[in-house]
């Protein structure tokens, strides 16, 4: 028994080591490029380290605004220590995501153990999460959702553990972890209270296992967690920032479809009551929600193409391994037909997980907002494989297990090839490849130039300039945190809407001498003093023109 227990611990530690390797191997270099969201996380961590304030000069912020999105600030604070140790760099910024992504192996093992009381199943689920393309890609890209998911899994594991073995300490730590997830990403603020309510309903059906007094403790914890979510969303400044940007109810396209339907009814002189019955906000928003919701269960999203935003895409690769599909189906069927109510938790988790993502637009289906689906998907796949192994003949068990393992290994190596080879040159402009090299070139001549004019045609570039310049946050704050307002900026930098400012000059800087222009890479013509910055695929990212 002692040897068996030690063996399982060694396997789990081995899986953790594998997870660490897959998430930290050449973390600075892959993914290629550095997105502005990552740069904002890193620079704000740098600002907090040096000044105790974010880039907008706000102390101890709960939200940090980049482009009106008001992102929860938890990840920004996590970058402070890595930046202190490693300096302001890609590795330091990505470190918290990679670390919590690796630690999630223990979180899902603990969750499975609390639901099923089965260590072998926990080991299977931990292994599948360790090699999950979805989890690896986000863990390596400074995704706040990865940290939030860690706390969600640990939090609900403690609460479920409380059902079997009631201890106030479990309830306290579970609630604390769930609340912690609110400070890293928006999705948990809807998913956590919703799923907590589902657990309460389950709890009240298991009257023989849990006493009434203990149930009231669960209710109190639910109220504390839910109230915290409500306060953060509705009563803290900035709580609805991102929601207001991406919700389906304020999206022009949703309203346009409804208006078009009403107009078409008017053209054919349809009955007014009939129009109101079939073409109203409830029906229109309902169809939009349903369309979004079911996209998260499509084969394309899960197994073939993956999801959005584009800078996370691994070419010709889904979010889950195709070999896992039959076991996912088998696990779903097995748990659906089972009698134990607590064993239905993965099914309920999967049902409620995409709801938050489905009420949003912009980059749909979105792999960040729907990441909370992943533990349930991996758990169902692990359960399906476990049932498969248990039911087949002992004579074929080793052979079939080996076949499945070889197929899974091929899927893993295919993903790694696509990620570390093909993805480096596949639509790499989405990840701002070349910006680091461009800013370093600017940095080398910064003191020699009077003005640096940078095009905004490549997207929101100012966080990357702040990051790679390691621009002093104290100076930036005294300048009023100007971001990249058109024909404004910080220091010697001026950001302009023209794609080719060296050729499309503006009156705001015509009288200035010693100017360095940063044009978009596809600007035509050849300048006398120019330097070109190229991406790995040979395309031109930027053109620097010296005057």
């Amino acid at each position: 028994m002692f040897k068996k227990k030690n063996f399982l611990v060694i396997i789990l530690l081995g899986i953790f080591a594998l997870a660490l390797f897959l998430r930290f191997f050449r973390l600075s270099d892959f993914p290629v490029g550095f997105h502005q969201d990552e740069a904002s996380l890193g620079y704000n961590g740098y600002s907090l380290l040096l000044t105790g304030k974010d880039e907008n000069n706000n102390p101890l912020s709960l939200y940090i605004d980049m482009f009106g999105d008001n992102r929860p600030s938890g990840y920004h604070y996590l970058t402070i220590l890595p930046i202190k140790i490693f300096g302001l760099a890609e590795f330091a910024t990505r470190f918290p995501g990679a670390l919590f992504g690796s630690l999630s192996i223990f979180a899902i093992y603990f969750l499975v153990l609390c639901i099923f009381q089965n260590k072998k199943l926990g080991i299977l689920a931990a292994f599948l999460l360790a090699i999950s393309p979805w989890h690896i890609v986000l863990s390596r890209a400074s995704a706040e959702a990865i940290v939030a998911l860690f706390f969600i899994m640990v939090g609900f594991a403690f609460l479920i553990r409380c059902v079997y073995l009631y201890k106030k300490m479990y309830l306290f730590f579970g609630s604390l972890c769930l609340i912690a997830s609110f400070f890293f990403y928006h999705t948990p603020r809807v998913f956590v209270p919703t799923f907590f309510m589902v657990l309460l309903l389950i709890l009240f059906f298991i009257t023989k296992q849990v006493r009434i007094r203990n149930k009231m403790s669960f209710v109190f914890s639910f109220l504390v967690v839910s109230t915290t979510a409500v306060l953060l969303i509705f009563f803290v400044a900035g709580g609805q920032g991102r929601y207001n940007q991406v919700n389906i109810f304020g999206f022009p396209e949703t309203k346009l479809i409804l208006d078009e339907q009403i107009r078409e009814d008017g053209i054919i002189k349809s009955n007014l009551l009939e129009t109101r019955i079939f073409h109203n906000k409830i029906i229109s928003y309902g169809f939009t929600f349903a369309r979004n919701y079911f996209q998260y269960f499509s084969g394309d999203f899960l197994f073939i193409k993956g999801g959005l935003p584009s800078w996370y895409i691994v070419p010709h690769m889904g979010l889950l391994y195709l070999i896992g599909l039959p076991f996912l189906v088998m696990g779903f069927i097995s748990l659906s037909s089972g009698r134990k109510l607590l064993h239905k938790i993965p099914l309920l988790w999967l049902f409620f997980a995409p709801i938050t993502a489905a009420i949003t637009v912009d980059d749909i289906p979105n792999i960040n907002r729907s990441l909370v689906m992943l533990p349930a998907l991996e758990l169902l796949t692990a359960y399906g494989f476990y049932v498969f192994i248990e039911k087949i003949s002992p004579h074929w068990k080793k052979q079939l297990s080996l076949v499945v393992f070889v197929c899974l290994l091929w899927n893993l190596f295919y993903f790694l090839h696509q990620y570390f080879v093909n993805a480096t040159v596949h639509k790499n402009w989405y990840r701002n490849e070349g910006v680091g090299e461009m800013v370093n070139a600017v940095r080398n001549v910064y003191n020699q130039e009077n003005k640096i004019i940078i095009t905004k045609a490549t997207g929101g570039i100012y966080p990357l300039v702040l990051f790679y310049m390691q621009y002093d946050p104290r100076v930036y704050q005294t300048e009023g945190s100007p971001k990249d307002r058109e024909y404004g900026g910080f220091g010697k930098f001026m950001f302009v809407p023209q794609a080719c400012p060296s050729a499309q000059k503006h009156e705001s800087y015509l009288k200035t001498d010693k100017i360095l222009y940063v044009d978009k890479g596809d600007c035509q013509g050849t300048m006398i003093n120019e330097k070109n910055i190229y991406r790995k695929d040979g395309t031109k990212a930027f053109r620097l023109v010296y005057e």
Side-chain angles (χ1 to χ4, degrees), residues 456-470:
K456 290 175 60 178
T458 57
I461 199 171
Y462 91 89
L464 291 153
V465 175
L466 288 170
F467 182 92
Y468 285 112
M469 285 293 295
Q470 298 190 9

Side-chain angles (χ1 to χ4, degrees), residues 243-256 258 281-282 284-289 292 355-356 358-361:
Y243 171 78
N244 290 335
Q245 288 182 333
V246 300
N247 74 86
I248 61 174
F249 309 108
F251 191 54
E253 186 177 325
T254 310
K255 294 180 180 179
L256 182 64
L258 177 59
K281 289 182 178 180
I282 295 175
S284 181
Y285 294 143
F287 272 117
T288 302
F289 171 82
N292 290 348
I355 287 177
T356 310
I359 62 174
T360 64
V361 291

Side-chain angles (χ1 to χ4, degrees), residues 54-199:
D54 66 14
E55 67 171 72
N56 302 306
N57 206 21
N58 298 317
L60 301 176
S61 306
L62 291 178
Y63 298 97
I64 293 180
D65 176 36
M66 182 170 61
F67 297 116
D69 48 1
N70 292 310
R71 302 166 72 177
S73 58
Y75 194 102
H76 302 78
Y77 288 101
L78 287 182
T79 63
I80 293 174
L81 184 58
I83 289 171
K84 177 71 174 176
I85 297 171
F86 303 110
L88 182 59
E90 292 95 336
F91 180 82
T93 305
R94 292 170 174 171
F95 185 91
L99 178 63
F100 276 89
S102 303
L103 292 173
S104 294
I105 304 312
F106 299 114
I108 197 170
Y109 175 80
F110 182 40
L111 179 64
V112 173
L113 204 60
C114 291
I115 297 173
F116 293 98
Q117 312 288 298
N118 188 320
K119 293 180 179 179
K120 290 181 180 178
L121 186 59
I123 291 290
L124 275 173
F127 176 69
L128 290 176
L129 188 67
I131 63 171
S132 163
W134 194 347
H135 203 260
I136 291 170
V137 166
L138 290 182
S139 294
R140 296 180 63 95
S142 311
E144 303 108 300
I146 285 289
V147 185
L149 184 65
F150 169 84
F151 285 110
I152 289 171
M153 288 192 289
V154 174
F156 278 122
F158 271 119
L159 295 184
I160 295 164
R161 180 65 176 161
C162 254
V163 175
Y164 288 107
L165 180 63
Y166 180 82
K167 286 186 179 181
K168 289 183 179 179
M169 182 179 67
Y170 292 159
L171 198 57
F172 171 76
F173 280 119
S175 302
L176 193 64
C177 286
L178 294 178
I179 289 172
S181 71
F182 299 160
F183 294 92
F184 292 93
Y185 200 59
H186 299 283
T187 300
R189 298 174 185 188
V190 178
F191 172 74
V192 166
T194 304
F195 195 66
F196 202 151
M197 186 182 294
V198 172
L199 282 184

Side-chain angles (χ1 to χ4, degrees), residues 38-55:
E38 294 184 274
S40 177
L41 291 168
Y43 185 75
N44 276 283
Y46 183 59
S47 181
L48 289 164
L49 173 65
L50 296 183
T51 70
K53 299 177 182 179
D54 66 14
E55 67 171 72

Side-chain angles (χ1 to χ4, degrees), residues 116 121 331 334-335 343 378-388:
F116 293 98
L121 186 59
S334 299
L335 288 179
H343 288 189
E378 299 295 18
L379 207 161
L380 288 170
T381 304
Y383 192 83
F385 181 74
Y386 184 81
V387 169
F388 171 75

